[in-house]
Amino acid sequence: MTVSILVSILSGIAIALATAWGGLALWIRAPLSQGWKLAVVLAWAICALAAIAGLAWHAWRPALYLFGAALAGLLWWWLRIRPSNDRPWIAEVSRQTHGEVSGNLVTLHNVRNFDWRSRTDFTPHWETRRYALDTLQSVDVALSYWGRPAIAHALVSFGFGTGGQVVFSVEIRRKQGDKFSEIGGFFKQYELSVIASTEEDSLRVRTNVRGEDGYLYRIHMPEGAARKLFLAYVDKANRLVDTPRFYHTLTANCTTIVFQMARHIVPGLPLDYRQLLSGYLPEYLYQLDALRGAGSAEQYRRLGRYTDRALATYDRAQYSRNIRRGVPGIAQEPRTPPA
């Protein structure tokens, strides 16, 4: 095989990859009606096919230059798509959590505490809450599954004793009319947000309203790491208020953001495929000795499943207590008798 043929083959592969990426980018993000999108994508594909033909036939070489110009224009348009905090957001992400740290006291603004009755019927509450860092007692990871075992949404709940629980969740900030698409997450379709909420909101809505399957894991961390992780969440939330960022399915999602923060706190955390396939996160945590109180990750997963306990809890005041019953590593409190 001659060098020129090899170069042509590699160039053809590059054009094909650029064509696939460009077609998806145009289809997902171009501000056009569906009919015009189809026309633009077809024109883009025809231009690419002509460029590939130009690699083989000299008479078609101008098509290569045309494709190059079109690609440059596409990249110029793509780089001009910037994230924003000013869009018609859906209610549950209409505000952004932000915080202030004053010595031992952290004040969180826009803590979500919605009362959910169905996906569309709810009473919104955004609250300001204060937490004393010296009362931080626990860190729990909640995983919520909605279909495939490899994919789960990860939420981190911090326990402040009598100060209650506060949950941080890295969320897709969806606009009105948006539907979730993992492919769209590669193409700047959603902004990123960090939302603090109560467990009665963010955990309960997933099991009791959306029909998801919830699991809870008590995390054992080095001394001082829980405090640093909590403050890292506050800092990340504040940064997103000041500088919006796009969600990305691989590099900026609910688990990768957590691990990016955790690796600054606990140096040496190994990279692992389970940081992307978050449904298998318990096995990774068990391997790191972050889960204790059970003989295996499988046993921890079985005992940590709280879906049934959540569905059986009608008193919001008992929710956090009830979902922790039987979870390994958590000291069990006596059941509070009904009033």
Side-chain angles (χ1 to χ4, degrees):
M1 181 182 296
T2 65
V3 173
S4 61
I5 294 176
L6 179 60
V7 170
S8 294
I9 291 174
L10 293 176
S11 298
I13 293 173
I15 291 173
L17 292 174
T19 302
W21 173 83
L24 285 169
L26 289 166
W27 183 257
I28 292 170
R29 292 296 287 140
L32 302 169
S33 67
Q34 190 164 340
W36 277 108
K37 281 185 180 182
L38 181 59
V40 170
V41 170
L42 284 175
W44 168 252
I46 292 170
C47 182
L49 290 173
I52 291 174
L55 294 172
W57 295 290
H58 181 75
W60 285 78
R61 287 297 171 89
L64 279 170
Y65 307 131
L66 177 61
F67 179 78
L71 179 59
L74 180 64
L75 291 173
W76 178 82
W77 163 74
W78 182 254
L79 293 173
R80 288 174 60 85
I81 300 176
R82 301 296 179 86
S84 172
N85 284 329
D86 184 19
R87 303 195 195 279
W89 310 111
I90 61 173
E92 63 200 76
V93 291
S94 61
R95 301 190 188 184
Q96 292 177 280
T97 298
H98 57 99
E100 301 157 358
V101 182
S102 178
N104 184 58
L105 188 67
V106 177
T107 302
L108 291 182
H109 304 280
N110 292 331
V111 177
R112 204 181 72 196
N113 188 23
F114 283 24
D115 183 10
W116 295 89
R117 291 174 291 275
S118 72
R119 290 175 182 264
T120 57
D121 181 18
F122 52 84
T123 302
H125 296 287
W126 295 95
E127 302 172 352
T128 295
R129 297 194 173 198
R130 293 173 176 83
Y131 301 91
L133 291 172
D134 59 0
T135 66
L136 178 56
Q137 298 178 356
S138 63
V139 178
D140 298 319
V141 168
L143 294 179
S144 190
Y145 297 78
W146 59 88
R148 291 166 290 181
I151 303 298
H153 183 71
L155 308 94
V156 179
S157 181
F158 295 88
F160 287 87
T162 56
Q165 303 284 146
V166 60
V167 181
F168 277 99
S169 177
V170 177
E171 298 275 348
I172 290 173
R173 202 171 189 205
R174 290 192 292 130
K175 302 176 291 297
Q176 295 175 19
D178 272 350
K179 293 183 179 179
F180 175 67
S181 164
E182 290 170 351
I183 294 177
F186 287 98
F187 292 95
K188 300 183 179 181
Q189 188 167 2
Y190 317 105
E191 271 79 6
L192 190 71
S193 65
V194 171
I195 298 291
S197 63
T198 64
E199 291 189 337
E200 296 83 1
D201 177 333
S202 57
L203 298 190
R204 182 180 173 276
V205 68
R206 292 179 176 275
T207 52
N208 294 36
V209 175
R210 299 177 186 171
E212 298 179 13
D213 199 18
Y215 295 75
L216 196 70
Y217 303 91
R218 172 59 51 88
I219 306 300
H220 293 267
M221 305 180 72
E223 185 175 356
R227 178 188 179 119
K228 291 179 180 178
L229 182 60
F230 179 81
L231 292 175
Y233 264 110
V234 176
D235 181 64
K236 176 62 72 173
N238 288 345
R239 287 175 181 269
L240 288 174
V241 171
D242 295 334
T243 307
R245 179 180 177 183
F246 283 118
Y247 170 89
H248 192 278
T249 301
L250 286 182
T251 62
N253 59 44
C254 64
T255 52
T256 57
I257 294 294
V258 174
F259 274 96
Q260 287 169 14
M261 294 188 293
R263 292 186 76 192
H264 288 290
I265 297 163
V266 185
L269 280 179
L271 291 173
D272 193 279
Y273 73 94
R274 290 166 291 194
Q275 294 172 20
L276 297 177
L277 301 180
S278 51
Y280 303 130
L281 197 57
E283 287 74 16
Y284 176 72
L285 294 172
Y286 191 83
Q287 181 181 325
L288 293 177
D289 198 31
L291 303 181
R292 299 175 186 175
S296 65
E298 180 181 354
Q299 183 186 24
Y300 210 122
R301 185 188 290 269
R302 177 172 55 81
L303 295 175
R305 182 177 182 270
Y306 65 85
T307 306
D308 294 334
R309 297 189 293 274
L311 293 173
T313 300
Y314 300 98
D315 182 359
R316 285 171 58 93
Q318 299 296 318
Y319 184 86
S320 291
R321 180 197 303 268
N322 288 351
I323 64 173
R324 286 171 170 78
R325 294 199 176 278
V327 176
I330 299 180
Q332 303 303 305
E333 301 179 24
R335 186 183 297 274
T336 301

